[in-house]
Amino acid sequence: MLTITPFGLIFITLGFTLLIARPDWLLPLLFVSAVLHAFAVAIIGPATLNVGLGITPWLFTCSLIFIHLIAIIIRNRRIELGISRPVKLLFCGWMMFIGWCVLSAFTLPFIFEGTPVHPLSYLWGFDGPLKPLIWNPISAIQAVNSIIMGMLLVYVLQLSNDINTTKRLMSGFITAILVSIGIGFYQRLELSGIVSESLNLHQSLNPSYAPGVNPQRTNWPFSEASYASVWYAGVSTGGSAIYLFTSRPWLSIFFFIVGLFGLYTT
């Protein structure tokens, strides 16, 4: 059973619209989807904590990018591997690393079989007892994630000749910050009892990541408050770096203040 979440109705519509009309904006959409960590565009199976399988906005956007990548390759009849020799060498290095990750996912669990480890299936992290290492489908999922990363790298190289790519990436980054701040601030108001649950965001949470609500800390749009705090700390630090190394004081102040505000809400 596949159920599209209320959030998914909006995000899927936006994604397909960009794919058809403005595919060059799919990469900025990927930036935004990366911060929507706690949400799912669709849920396979029952939408119950740790039971249903949620399809993340990031994975959905990657599938759209893959479609666009195939279209670019067919149209250009070639694959761009870098506009300079250093870029091509770096690309080869990354491909070797990704190949090692994929190979490791299917070999290392057997090489180190029986080693006591903390299973990823434990809901509360390291509190459970150690168990002998065995191969499981999670290893295959990590291999798939590595392949997706390689696909995204190839996709970015295809856009390297477009002078507007950097501007679009910056737009996506700023939008991701604003979206994360907005959703996180809404959850803070919700936890404080100032607003009621009216956006149906709880119905769109990803059961695969077991997102929870701590009455003292906000975690949205991430699945855990610590993830959110790392993101906002990075935004604030990035604002400081912009101030020190560029001539855009207002942009740096914006990032710095917004990052601190988001960090405070967690």
Side-chain angles (χ1 to χ4, degrees), residues 7-85:
F7 167 80
L9 289 173
I10 300 175
F11 196 87
I12 291 174
T13 302
L14 174 62
F16 278 115
T17 300
L18 292 180
L19 177 64
I20 296 173
R22 296 296 302 272
D24 48 345
W25 283 92
L26 287 176
L27 202 56
L29 181 65
L30 185 69
F31 276 42
V32 178
S33 69
V35 303
L36 299 173
H37 188 249
F39 299 96
V41 298
I43 298 175
I44 302 175
T48 306
L49 193 64
N50 282 346
V51 176
L53 178 62
I55 300 176
T56 63
W58 186 85
L59 185 60
F60 171 74
T61 306
C62 286
S63 65
L64 297 180
I65 286 178
F66 178 73
I67 296 174
H68 188 218
L69 174 61
I70 297 300
I72 291 176
I73 294 175
I74 293 176
R75 183 180 64 229
N76 296 337
R77 297 183 179 180
R78 66 185 181 88
I79 300 178
E80 178 64 63
L81 300 181
I83 57 178
S84 64
R85 180 176 175 81

Side-chain angles (χ1 to χ4, degrees), residues 143-165:
V144 172
N145 287 336
S146 298
I147 294 174
I148 291 176
M149 291 297 181
M151 181 272 294
L152 293 175
L153 180 58
V154 174
Y155 180 73
V156 170
L157 289 177
Q158 309 316 301
L159 306 179
S160 58
N161 292 322
D162 187 348
I163 60 175
N164 294 316
T165 297

